[in-house]
């Protein structure tokens, strides 16, 4: 049980290597079975981790039993356990969808998928900022390979931009790390939080520069406004399961902003307190606006979904920028909702595209679909949830955010933007739905059958939305507790200092 | 020593940024390589510059910080892997698009060669 926090990292790593070896290396069916089984095991482990961290408080794991400020330490608190569980749930959906045929288009889909899961889980669980960099690189190199999986001109072009931008981002990350290490003398996040309060006035500008550079790097990963240009093309050209898995990738950036800029540069950091807020808040709202406009202008369902990802990042970072526990709780709830639903929408866009022949998922008249009812029901659930219309989870997430605003000033710039972006999403999605499902010629449907596995994957992810509403009480309570734990960074710092004891 | 060191890091960074902003994949690869060199030197300096300092306790009176050396080592390894991947990707892009521009097509004024091929096609 004490090794629980490292299992979500080690198991996908070992599985990824195992899948390259002889009994599995050349047999796709065996790879599929192992990958799905391991993913189910990951869900179970993450659930146990979540339960343990919820009941017993944060768990730390000192790798190699080196004492905490000196060695690398993994920290599983409520937020990281929750996001690990979310990763494996989304991973299961994407994996089931890929098993219906998408993993045949290139080599090594399943090993790469496992390494991607390992990188994402590692980034969520690490308590050490250099280790965060390493796990970023692990998840990025897996994502580079997954992005061009299957090949094609579109994918290569999107991948060139994506890879170059992320490599520049990694360089900036290291510059920021070097600056912070030079000033603070430590890389352990909790230790940095303690040291940041003790800085002299001549060292504060350097620490501030490092912190803001980190904000830029994480903003790039999270697709914040000036750095988002890679996202629509990359996400809309990736194959469907990969795009669905990528729905968690922007959240890794958002999580890092939350972790670094709440724990190290949080409200208790003295002169360095909340250095991110003056940048983050306007940029997040601008991302929201630009994402909404881009959603209205999208020519195809995949591009629309990619732009809706931007909108969700805007909402998420707006909540994070408020730097209060109730806003963070809203951000957590919204993360669960948006990750699963965006993933489902990417998969759904691919299924719709396959049934419409040459028109694919573009909003033009085309031949009718083979299974309009099943797809239509899925689309309407996803659309209502994404747009934030009443019965489903997007509505609850937005309400939580709107309730977290304090005072008329905050409300006056957050409420209109969030509400109008919801309206824009409804317009864009109703245009998408009506042209995809109603405007069709009398040609016979394409004869390509739709594997049941794909339907199951999409409906499994979509089921999250009503479940998030039905179990809204316990989930928001948990999110509140998790946010309190994060914002009570002094207590967390004390916990991390103890290390593996 | 500090001045020269800082100048070198700054020069490498400036050259790297300049090359990254070019439109051809080859210069971008070179630029990223220079940037990662600059990053490695910068990280190395983040533990303060010490001459003749031992990184292991108990071997000398003059110590230097061992952690940045471990960080640089990791960063170098990761940088190599990423550069290798980028080179392969650039070659793939060259093969797919028929040119080495990062956008997959040459955006500038059509050159004489292109105009000729354009007339033919």
């Amino acid at each position: 049980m004490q090794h629980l926090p490292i299992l979500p990292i080690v198991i996908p790593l070992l599985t990824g290597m195992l899948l390259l070896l002889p009994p599995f290396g050349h047999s796709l069916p065996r790879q599929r079975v192992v990958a799905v089984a391991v993913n189910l095991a990951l869900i179970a482990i993450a659930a146990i981790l979540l339960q343990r961290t919820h009941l017993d408080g944060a768990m730390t794991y000192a790798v190699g039993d080196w004492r905490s400020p000196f060695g690398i330490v993994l920290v599983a608190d409520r937020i990281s356990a929750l996001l690990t569980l979310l990763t494996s749930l989304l991973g299961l959906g994407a994996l089931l969808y890929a098993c219906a045929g998408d993993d045949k288009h290139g080599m090594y889909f399943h090993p790469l998928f496992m390494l991607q899961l390992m990188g994402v889980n590692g980034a969520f669980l690490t308590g050490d900022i250099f280790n965060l960099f390493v796990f970023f690189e692990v998840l990025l190199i897996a994502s580079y390979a997954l992005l061009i999986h299957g090949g094609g001109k579109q994918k290569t072009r999107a991948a060139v931009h994506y890879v170059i931008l992320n490599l520049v981002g990694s360089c900036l990350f290291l510059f920021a790390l070097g600056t912070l290490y030079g000033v603070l003398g430590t890389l352990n996040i909790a230790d940095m939080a303690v040291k940041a309060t003790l800085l002299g006035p001549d060292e504060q500008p350097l620490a501030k520069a490092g912190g803001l550079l980190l904000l830029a790097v994480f903003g790039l990963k999270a697709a914040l406004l000036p750095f988002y240009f890679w996202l629509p093309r990359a996400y809309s050209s990736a194959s469907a399961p990969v795009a669905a898995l990528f729905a968690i990738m922007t959240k890794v950036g958002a999580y890092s902003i939350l972790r670094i800029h709440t724990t190290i540069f949080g409200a208790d950091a003295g002169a360095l307190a909340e250095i991110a807020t003056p940048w983050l808040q306007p940029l997040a709202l601008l991302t929201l606006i630009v994402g909404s406009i881009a959603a209205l202008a999208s020519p195809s369902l995949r591009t629309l979904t990619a732009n809706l990802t931007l909108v969700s990042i805007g909402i998420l970072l707006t909540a994070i920028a408020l730097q209060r526990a109730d806003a963070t709780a809203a951000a957590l709830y919204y993360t669960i909702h948006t990750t699963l639903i965006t993933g489902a929408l990417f998969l759904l866009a691919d299924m719709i595209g396959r049934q419409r022949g040459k028109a694919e998922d573009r909003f033009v008249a085309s031949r009718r679909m083979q299974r309009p009812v099943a797809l239509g029901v899925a689309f309407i659930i996803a659309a209502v949830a994404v747009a934030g219309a009443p019965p489903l989870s997007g509505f609850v997430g937005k309400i939580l955010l709107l309730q977290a605003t304090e005072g008329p000033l905050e409300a006056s710039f957050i409420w209109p933007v969030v509400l109008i972006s919801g309206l824009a999403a409804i317009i864009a999605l109703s245009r998408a739905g009506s042209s995809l499902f109603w405007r069709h010629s009398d040609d016979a449907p394409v004869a390509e059958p739709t594997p049941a596995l794909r339907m199951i994957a999409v409906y499994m992810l979509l089921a999250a939305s009503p479940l998030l509403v039905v179990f809204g009480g316990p989930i928001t309570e948990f999110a509140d507790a998790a946010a309190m734990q994060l914002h009570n960074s002094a207590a967390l710092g004390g916990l991390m200092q103890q290390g593996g004891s | 020593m500090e001045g020269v060191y800082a100048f070198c890091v700054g020069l490498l960074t400036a050259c790297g940024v300049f090359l990254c902003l070019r439109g051809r994949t080859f210069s971008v690869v070179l630029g990223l390589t220079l940037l990662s060199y600059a990053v490695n030197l910068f990280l190395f300096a983040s533990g303060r510059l010490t001459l003749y300092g031992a990184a292991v306790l108990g071997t000398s009176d003059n110590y230097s910080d061992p952690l940045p050396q471990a960080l640089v080592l990791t960063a170098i390894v990761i940088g190599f892997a990423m550069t290798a991947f980028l080179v392969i990707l650039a070659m793939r892009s060259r093969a797919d698009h028929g040119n080495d521009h990062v956008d997959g097509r040459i955006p500038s004024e059509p050159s004489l060669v292109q105009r000729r091929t354009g007339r033919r096609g």
Side-chain angles (χ1 to χ4, degrees):
Chain A
M1 271 299 155
Q2 59 163 352
H3 296 295
L4 207 54
I6 204 172
L7 288 183
I9 302 170
V10 170
I11 290 179
L13 171 67
L14 292 179
T15 316
M17 292 194 288
L18 186 73
L19 288 178
L20 291 171
L21 293 177
F24 307 106
H26 297 289
S27 157
L28 210 49
R30 286 185 204 161
Q31 285 195 355
R32 287 174 181 166
V33 170
V34 173
V36 171
V38 167
N39 212 313
L40 288 171
L42 278 179
I43 292 178
I45 289 169
I48 298 171
L49 190 64
L50 186 74
Q51 188 207 10
R52 294 272 301 208
T53 49
H54 187 48
L55 297 179
D56 309 339
M59 296 169 82
T60 56
Y61 184 87
V63 180
D65 213 8
W66 286 81
R67 243 172 15 93
S68 173
F70 307 109
I72 290 170
V73 63
L74 300 178
V75 179
D77 61 356
R78 291 194 182 106
I79 294 183
S80 37
L82 175 70
L83 290 172
T84 314
L85 181 62
L86 185 63
T87 309
S88 38
L89 285 175
L90 182 71
L92 182 65
L95 197 58
L96 284 180
Y97 192 90
C99 285
D102 278 314
D103 52 358
K104 276 191 298 216
H105 299 310
M107 292 172 80
Y108 308 126
F109 179 87
H110 292 288
L112 286 169
F113 195 91
M114 283 296 144
L115 293 179
Q116 172 90 68
L117 287 184
M118 171 210 168
V120 174
N121 282 342
F124 286 142
L125 287 170
T126 182
D128 176 290
I129 198 166
F130 189 77
N131 222 16
L132 183 65
F133 165 76
V134 174
F135 281 120
F136 260 107
E137 296 303 303
V138 171
L139 76 89
L140 282 176
I141 202 160
S143 77
Y144 301 156
L146 280 176
L147 183 59
I148 50 171
H149 188 264
K153 278 189 181 182
Q154 279 295 324
K155 286 182 187 171
T156 323
R157 193 191 306 170
V160 168
H161 293 182
Y162 179 73
V163 172
I164 292 174
L165 269 174
N166 275 304
L167 286 181
V168 173
S170 303
C171 285
L172 285 182
F173 198 162
L174 283 175
F175 274 124
L177 267 180
T179 314
L180 284 176
Y181 180 73
V183 176
L184 298 170
T186 177
L187 289 168
N188 184 311
I189 293 176
D191 204 24
M192 287 169 96
V194 177
K195 297 252 167 70
T197 54
L198 309 172
L199 279 185
D202 51 335
E203 285 172 325
Q204 277 166 2
L206 263 183
K208 193 175 171 183
L212 288 179
L213 208 51
L214 274 185
L215 180 69
V217 175
F218 298 145
L220 174 69
K221 316 281 181 206
L224 192 63
L225 177 72
F227 314 113
Y228 78 92
F229 298 98
W230 56 270
L231 185 137
R233 188 184 270 174
Y235 279 35
S236 52
S237 68
S239 69
V242 175
L245 184 66
F246 279 11
I248 195 87
M249 298 264 288
T250 45
K251 276 67 182 184
V252 179
Y255 164 81
S256 308
I257 291 178
L258 181 66
R259 177 66 78 191
I260 300 294
H261 288 278
T262 309
T263 310
I264 302 180
F265 303 108
D268 308 328
L272 292 172
E274 300 182 3
I275 53 171
T277 313
W279 294 95
L280 194 55
Q281 204 151 41
L283 286 181
L285 287 173
L286 280 175
T287 313
L288 191 49
I289 295 169
V290 170
S292 306
I293 296 172
L296 286 174
S298 305
S300 70
L301 188 53
R302 290 176 138 233
T303 328
L304 175 61
T305 315
N307 286 318
L308 288 172
T309 315
L310 270 184
V311 173
S312 70
I313 279 295
I315 292 180
L316 206 55
L317 291 178
T318 307
I320 289 173
L322 288 178
Q323 294 275 6
R324 279 195 304 270
D326 51 349
T328 307
L332 283 177
Y333 185 92
Y334 195 77
T335 306
I336 310 176
H337 147 77
T338 188
T339 308
L340 296 176
I341 298 300
T342 315
L345 204 52
F346 273 120
L347 299 180
L348 189 61
D350 185 58
M351 277 211 295
I352 292 175
R354 279 167 194 272
Q355 297 203 351
R356 296 178 82 230
K358 265 189 194 161
E360 291 184 340
D361 56 342
R362 278 176 286 139
F363 302 145
V364 290
S366 168
R367 54 181 70 207
R368 81 179 69 186
M369 274 178 251
Q370 208 173 25
R371 302 179 66 178
V373 176
L375 290 176
V377 169
F379 181 81
I380 198 79
I381 296 175
V384 168
V386 163
L392 293 179
S393 56
F395 177 70
V396 181
K398 281 188 184 172
I399 286 288
L400 286 174
L401 168 64
L402 295 182
Q403 278 178 344
T405 55
E406 261 176 18
L409 180 68
E410 264 180 23
S412 68
F413 58 80
I414 291 179
W415 281 53
V417 174
V418 171
L419 293 176
I420 293 175
S421 82
L423 179 67
I426 290 176
I427 295 172
L429 284 162
S430 52
R431 167 173 163 255
S434 53
S435 54
L436 286 177
F437 289 94
W438 291 342
R439 284 174 54 200
H440 55 74
S441 57
D442 295 329
D443 298 346
V446 180
E448 184 179 341
T450 307
L453 205 51
R454 290 203 176 121
M455 276 305 178
I456 294 172
V458 169
Y459 272 98
M460 193 195 82
L461 290 178
L462 283 178
S465 191
L467 285 179
L468 273 171
V469 176
V470 171
F471 296 102
I475 291 171
T476 44
E477 268 170 36
F478 178 83
D480 276 332
M484 288 302 290
Q485 192 179 26
L486 183 74
H487 282 270
N488 195 353
S489 62
L492 190 69
L495 246 170
M496 284 194 200
Q497 291 287 311
Q498 294 166 14
S501 60
Chain B
M1 181 171 73
E2 282 83 359
V4 175
Y5 199 95
F7 179 74
C8 287
V9 174
L11 189 67
L12 278 174
T13 315
C15 295
V17 169
F18 175 76
L19 284 172
C20 278
L21 293 175
R22 316 269 305 168
R24 308 280 179 160
T25 42
F26 182 66
S27 35
V28 171
V29 171
L30 276 188
L32 280 169
T33 316
L34 287 187
L35 259 185
S36 64
Y37 287 155
V39 158
N40 291 341
L41 285 176
F42 182 81
L43 269 187
F44 194 69
S46 67
R48 308 293 183 271
L49 295 172
T50 322
L51 276 183
Y52 311 115
V56 182
L57 288 179
T59 50
S60 150
D61 295 333
N62 191 12
Y63 293 115
S64 67
D65 193 343
L67 192 67
Q69 305 182 12
L71 301 189
V72 169
L73 197 59
T74 317
I76 289 174
V77 173
I78 291 177
F80 268 144
M82 293 297 177
T83 311
F85 185 87
L86 186 57
V87 170
I88 298 294
L89 185 65
M91 287 166 68
R92 172 79 177 271
S93 161
R94 170 76 182 72
D96 276 1
H97 297 112
N99 64 67
D100 64 344
H101 198 272
V102 285
D103 281 338
R105 63 191 146 80
I106 313 282
S108 57
E109 291 272 322
S111 67
L112 196 62
V113 179
Q114 275 178 319
R115 250 181 260 157
R116 277 187 187 156
T117 49
R119 242 177 238 157
R120 252 180 238 153

